[in-house]
């Protein structure tokens, strides 16, 4: 069974899961972006055109829209101004860990469900904690995190995974192969480079497909909107810089 609410085991495991949510390579992407652009520039002036070129050939693999290139250029300037230069590789590892404390309650206070499979078909990866919610049209321009994920999944062994959902308490359930396969594919969609399976269950790895490029940091810049208490909206001064990580 999953650890009970209020138990020391749940508190400790919540800390571990929160670290897993912040320690992945893609969580370091925003902190490393300016350093990547500077290295690509190799002494050249970093203007909108160079940032667009960097997005095309290094970051996205496709030509960005002028709006996204402009937003990425603004982010490059802002991030360097806030940190006094490019973030070092060590800082890019340490800075995301500052979010651990904020993540813990969103892990600890959910319903914890242990899903089991009769055969060792659950896979794991180099980014094993998966935040999941159904796909919507909004995925094209925004992301989500531990607070509004419908499920937070973490493979525990080849035969079980922990699933955190809205609610309280604990439960345990045996799931069908179709559920295992779908969770494995969601895991493959969000991994960085590597998937790992049981050495005697190669078929589980054969069923998943790895995309050419995984979740990617995207940029947008748009006019800000303020919502009043009566529900009406009005524009704010200036523009809002938005960053999000794609689902896949």
């Amino acid at each position: 069974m999953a650890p009970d609410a209020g138990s020391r085991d749940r508190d400790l495991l919540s800390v571990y899961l929160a670290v897993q949510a912040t320690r992945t390579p893609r969580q370091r992407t925003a902190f490393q972006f300016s350093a990547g652009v500077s290295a690509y520039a190799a002494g050249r002036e970093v203007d909108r055109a160079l940032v667009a070129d960097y997005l095309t050939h290094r970051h996205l693999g496709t030509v960005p829209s002028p709006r996204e290139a402009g937003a990425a250029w603004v982010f490059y300037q802002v991030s360097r101004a806030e940190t006094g230069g490019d973030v070092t590789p060590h800082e890019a590892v340490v800075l995301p860990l500052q979010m651990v404390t904020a993540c813990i309650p969103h892990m600890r206070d959910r319903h914890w469900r242990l899903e089991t499979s009769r055969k060792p078909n659950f896979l794991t990866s180099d980014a094993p904690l998966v935040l999941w919610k159904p796909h919507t049209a909004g995925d094209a321009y925004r992301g989500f995190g531990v607070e509004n994920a419908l499920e937070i999944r973490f493979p525990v062994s080849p035969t079980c995974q922990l699933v955190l959902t809205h609610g309280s308490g604990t439960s345990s359930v045996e799931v069908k192969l179709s559920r295992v396969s779908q969770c494995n594919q969601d895991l493959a969609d969000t991994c960085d480079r590597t998937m790992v399976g049981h050495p005697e269950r190669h078929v589980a790895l054969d069923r998943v497909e790895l995309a050419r490029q995984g979740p990617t940091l995207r940029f947008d810049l748009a006019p800000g909107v303020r919502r009043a208490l009566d529900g009406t909206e009005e524009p704010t001064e200036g523009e809002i810089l938005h960053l999000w990580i794609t689902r896949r």
Side-chain angles (χ1 to χ4, degrees):
M1 291 293 296
D4 292 330
S7 67
R8 177 170 173 76
D9 284 344
R10 179 179 286 212
D11 289 342
L12 290 173
L13 192 50
S14 296
V15 174
Y16 179 76
L17 295 176
V19 172
Q20 291 295 323
T22 60
R23 60 161 288 280
T24 61
R26 68 174 174 273
Q27 292 297 337
R28 297 194 289 270
T29 302
F31 297 99
Q32 295 175 312
F33 182 79
S34 66
V37 173
S38 296
Y40 183 77
R44 294 174 291 170
E45 178 186 358
V46 178
D47 53 16
R48 289 174 184 259
L50 187 140
V51 172
D53 197 45
Y54 175 77
L55 293 177
T56 301
H57 299 291
R58 296 291 177 85
H59 186 74
L60 297 178
T62 60
V63 178
S65 68
R67 187 160 123 178
E68 181 164 19
W73 180 65
V74 170
F75 175 68
Y76 172 83
Q77 295 178 309
V78 170
S79 61
R80 283 176 56 85
E82 289 182 345
T83 59
D86 294 326
V87 171
T88 67
H90 174 73
E91 291 171 332
V93 173
V94 173
L95 289 172
L97 293 176
Q98 296 176 358
M99 299 182 290
V100 168
T101 301
C103 289
I104 290 173
H106 298 295
M107 307 288 188
R108 182 193 60 216
D109 299 336
R110 286 178 171 242
H111 176 91
W112 287 36
R113 181 175 72 232
L114 193 66
E115 296 186 348
T116 59
S117 171
R118 292 187 179 184
K119 296 183 179 181
N121 289 320
F122 279 112
L123 304 178
T124 190
S125 77
D126 52 7
L129 190 131
V130 174
L131 307 180
W132 180 87
K133 65 184 299 188
H135 287 281
T136 67
D139 293 340
Y141 57 86
R142 67 182 177 216
F144 65 94
V146 296
E147 182 176 2
N148 51 2
L150 187 63
E151 293 183 354
I152 300 174
R153 305 174 188 155
F154 187 80
V156 178
S157 77
T159 58
C160 62
Q161 71 170 355
L162 185 63
V163 181
L164 280 54
T165 63
H166 293 302
S168 59
T170 60
S171 62
S172 180
V173 61
E174 184 177 303
V175 295
K176 297 181 179 179
L177 178 60
S178 57
R179 165 70 174 176
V180 178
S181 297
Q182 184 57 61
C183 291
N184 285 343
Q185 184 58 57
D186 293 336
L187 185 72
D189 289 344
T190 57
C191 80
D192 185 54
R193 296 172 181 268
T194 307
M195 295 290 293
V196 180
H198 192 280
E200 297 178 3
R201 301 295 295 178
H202 300 290
V203 65
L205 282 170
D206 293 339
R207 286 195 179 105
V208 299
E209 296 181 5
L210 290 175
R212 182 183 64 83
Q213 180 169 314
T216 308
L217 179 69
R218 303 298 299 268
F219 308 88
D220 192 18
L221 193 66
V225 176
R226 180 188 296 110
R227 178 171 294 178
L229 294 176
D230 60 3
T232 59
E233 296 181 346
E234 60 180 10
T236 62
E237 295 184 4
E239 295 180 303
I240 302 297
L241 178 64
H242 178 49
L243 285 72
W244 78 101
I245 296 177
T246 60
R247 299 286 299 275
R248 176 172 179 167

